[in-house]
Amino acid sequence: MLHTKRFLLTLVALVLCLAFVSAAGQKDSQSEGKATITLATADNTYGLSTDPELQGAITDLIESKTDTIIEPIIPPLASYTDKLATLVNSGDVPDLFVVAQAMTKIPTMVAREQILDLTDYIKNSPALSQLDASLFKDLQIDGKTYFVPYNYPKSKAIFIRKDLMEQYGVELSSTPTAEEFRREMGKFVGSGIIPFNFPKWVDNFQFFYNSFGAWGGVYEQDGVFIDGFQTEEMKNALTYLRQLYKDGVLNQEFITTENSGMREKTYTAQAASSIDYVTNYINYVQNTTAANKYTEMHLVYKIVGPEGYGGSLNEATQTAFVVSSKTKNPEAVVRVLETIVTDPEVYPAFFGIGLEGKHFTLNEDGQIEATPKAANSGYKYTLNYLSDSFVDIDIENLPFKLSPALEQGLPKQIEHIKAMQANLGPNHAADVPVGVSVAYDRVAPSIKSTRESIATKIIVGTVSLEQGLAEYENFWNSINGPTILEELNAAR
């Protein structure tokens, strides 16, 4: 009897072993021939959840669409940049990864031969080749494209409360002249509200520099590198901004104003206007409503200067996908990339709402409601993909209901984003090639900080225009600025 039991146990173990081997063999058979792709992105994408099971559901979706095996690397957003730098510098580069601050980092990666030239891959992709060519123009290097963005360029406009415009008789188009803007916004002066609220981030002044054909920084003009801060165009731009400040149009305390404070004052009608991302239109709808100060917002896309220049503050490509130059499966990687960026099922799941039944269910009103697992993982869906993605989404026939505020604001946000494409200002952030001038690479951050500090002093009147420019010239000479320009131009 004992021998019989042992025999049966052995037989059962053998059957289980054979079943396991068979299942493993079947899995290997199913995976045979599939490319394995490492994909790195922060956890503010990938279904906006930190739960491994929910992230795995996104992986499964991508794999099913691309016939690949995905090995994801999804660190927290706060540590993503450091994690990516460690991977890249160690040589263990992911096949496909997201780069933040793309305008400055991608040229560096190209110079170090870390990322793949995607020009032909984009051209030969049925989906990527249909993207607007202007999406790539600000960050082409020697005529080649090394990145794919996943939404429209971040741009800023001036948001003006329509209720206050009507109350004070302010009349402005979306593209007024510099004189019209100064005159009409002056009608708010002395009213007890801030005419034009502005944050302490001085790089936002590029919105006004564009009106005078000026650029804050070293850039290429007519085939020659110049320092944009030492031009007549910049003098005219700073003179205009100084006048706005003297008139009382520009927030007198902008030096200490945070973005959150700027927005809050506009939401609550303590300020008539502010400068903000076009993609934040919905936020103004929702927050003016919450403050019992609802109004529609009038957007000024650009201010046209006396010579006809003008354009919105264009941050161009701030975040984008790139492909490792070491990848062994470039075609498969590009297939994954185009699926994430353009597939109407994957894009919303990856960047916005996750998957129904996993990340969310619909409540009795048909609106999105997080599942307990998603809620416990910090999931908080976003609907920005409805307006700033490249996916053609019919917002009239969504699988879920929008809140009344979103129903009202979303179509207008989409309208503004599309209209802005024709009014974008230039972006020269990637003009200067990395590694051409070691001296420039070393002092570039100090050039920026000094330029912005002196511009601020000129605008608030701490120094005159002439004094400020003389101070900058002394700084420029102290860093051997003329030699730096010679080096950059000699390398052309």
Side-chain angles (χ1 to χ4, degrees):
M1 187 70 174
L2 183 60
H3 291 295
T4 302
K5 287 183 177 179
R6 285 178 177 171
F7 172 76
L8 289 173
L9 289 172
T10 302
L11 182 61
V12 169
L14 180 60
V15 170
L16 290 174
C17 182
L18 288 171
F20 177 80
V21 171
S22 176
Q26 186 177 7
K27 185 175 181 181
D28 288 341
S29 175
Q30 291 173 346
S31 301
E32 187 176 351
K34 293 185 179 181
T36 298
I37 308 299
T38 52
L39 165 61
T41 183
D43 64 0
N44 67 325
T45 55
Y46 228 91
L48 288 78
S49 169
T50 59
D51 183 87
E53 181 182 334
L54 296 180
Q55 290 176 341
I58 301 295
T59 298
D60 291 343
L61 176 63
I62 298 171
E63 289 180 338
S64 69
K65 294 269 188 175
T66 60
D67 197 32
T68 59
I69 300 170
I70 304 295
E71 294 182 349
I73 302 170
I74 319 171
L77 177 62
S79 61
Y80 176 75
T81 298
D82 291 338
K83 174 68 174 177
L84 180 62
T86 299
L87 291 170
V88 171
N89 294 333
S90 68
D92 190 17
V93 188
D95 293 293
L96 177 63
F97 57 98
V98 171
V99 175
Q101 299 177 328
M103 294 294 289
T104 56
K105 290 185 178 178
I106 286 178
T108 302
M109 289 182 165
V110 171
R112 294 173 179 171
E113 300 182 340
Q114 293 171 327
I115 55 178
L116 189 67
D117 174 8
L118 297 177
T119 308
D120 289 338
Y121 292 99
I122 294 170
K123 179 181 177 181
N124 295 327
S125 164
L128 298 178
S129 62
Q130 297 304 307
L131 298 181
D132 188 339
S134 67
L135 295 168
F136 303 98
K137 68 181 179 65
D138 288 319
L139 192 44
Q140 285 193 326
I141 300 171
D142 296 329
K144 299 177 180 178
T145 302
Y146 292 82
F147 71 102
V148 173
Y150 55 81
N151 52 22
Y152 284 104
K154 287 288 189 181
S155 58
K156 288 188 176 181
I158 297 175
F159 286 63
I160 311 178
R161 295 183 61 103
K162 280 192 176 182
D163 58 348
L164 294 180
M165 289 181 72
E166 293 173 0
Q167 181 179 345
Y168 291 94
V170 174
E171 298 181 1
L172 287 170
S173 71
S174 289
T175 57
T177 67
E179 183 53 38
E180 286 171 342
F181 182 80
R182 175 174 171 254
R183 181 188 68 236
E184 293 300 308
M185 294 298 288
K187 294 177 180 179
F188 292 123
V189 175
S191 66
I193 60 174
I194 300 169
F196 178 34
N197 213 358
F198 198 87
K200 66 181 182 180
W201 312 108
V202 182
D203 50 1
N204 283 283
F205 281 128
Q206 185 62 49
F207 184 97
F208 293 93
Y209 297 168
N210 290 338
S211 304
F212 294 86
W215 176 259
V218 175
Y219 75 109
E220 187 177 0
Q221 183 183 68
D222 299 326
V224 178
F225 286 106
I226 65 171
D227 176 33
F229 200 70
Q230 300 183 82
T231 63
E232 286 299 315
E233 291 83 0
M234 184 59 73
K235 291 180 183 178
N236 294 333
L238 292 172
T239 298
Y240 179 76
L241 283 164
R242 169 61 184 153
Q243 191 63 52
L244 289 183
Y245 188 84
K246 285 175 62 179
D247 291 347
V249 170
L250 180 62
N251 176 17
Q252 304 293 287
E253 299 177 356
F254 75 86
I255 297 175
T256 58
T257 300
E258 299 286 349
N259 280 326
S260 57
M262 173 194 72
R263 291 171 179 140
E264 185 64 26
K265 281 185 166 57
T266 308
Y267 297 156
T268 57
Q270 296 176 69
S273 65
S274 55
I275 186 168
D276 214 333
Y277 291 110
V278 179
T279 50
N280 281 347
Y281 187 92
I282 290 174
N283 293 343
Y284 283 80
V285 172
Q286 293 175 310
N287 286 289
T288 57
T289 300
N292 292 319
K293 295 286 186 179
Y294 170 73
T295 181
E296 290 187 17
M297 304 300 298
H298 173 70
L299 267 60
V300 172
Y301 304 141
K302 66 180 179 182
I303 294 173
V304 181
E307 301 300 321
Y309 295 110
S312 83
L313 180 65
N314 176 13
E315 293 193 359
T317 301
Q318 285 301 306
T319 309
F321 282 103
V322 296
V323 176
S324 168
S325 58
K326 295 182 179 180
T327 185
K328 297 177 181 178
N329 300 289
E331 290 81 8
V333 175
V334 172
R335 190 163 68 246
V336 171
L337 169 53
E338 69 182 3
T339 299
I340 294 173
V341 172
T342 66
D343 187 273
E345 183 180 5
V346 174
Y347 194 107
F350 193 88
F351 292 106
I353 59 176
L355 294 168
E356 186 174 359
K358 297 286 187 178
H359 297 76
F360 69 92
T361 57
L362 301 180
N363 63 22
E364 59 184 14
D365 296 322
Q367 296 178 349
I368 291 175
E369 190 172 273
T371 62
K373 179 180 283 291
N376 290 335
S377 71
Y379 165 83
K380 187 176 182 181
Y381 72 88
T382 173
L383 297 178
N384 276 358
Y385 77 90
L386 294 174
S387 61
D388 58 9
S389 73
F390 308 135
V391 181
D392 188 14
I393 298 172
D394 182 1
I395 62 172
E396 300 295 329
N397 292 289
L398 296 172
F400 52 85
K401 285 282 291 181
L402 297 172
S403 68
L406 286 173
E407 283 184 342
Q408 184 176 22
L410 187 59
K412 292 179 180 176
Q413 176 162 304
I414 293 172
E415 176 187 325
H416 287 307
I417 289 173
K418 291 182 176 179
M420 185 59 87
Q421 300 312 299
N423 293 288
L424 289 174
N427 190 309
H428 296 288
D431 278 12
V432 182
V434 177
V436 170
S437 170
V438 175
Y440 175 78
D441 294 345
R442 185 180 67 251
V443 301
S446 62
I447 293 175
K448 181 178 186 297
S449 60
T450 301
R451 176 181 72 242
E452 293 181 350
S453 171
I454 292 176
T456 300
K457 289 192 289 187
I458 292 171
I459 292 167
V460 302
T462 304
V463 298
S464 67
L465 177 68
E466 293 73 19
Q467 291 170 331
L469 293 177
E471 179 182 342
Y472 182 84
E473 184 179 8
N474 289 335
F475 161 77
W476 181 252
N477 290 330
S478 73
I479 61 169
N480 295 317
T483 301
I484 288 173
L485 292 181
E486 288 178 8
E487 290 179 357
L488 292 174
N489 285 309
R492 289 193 52 76

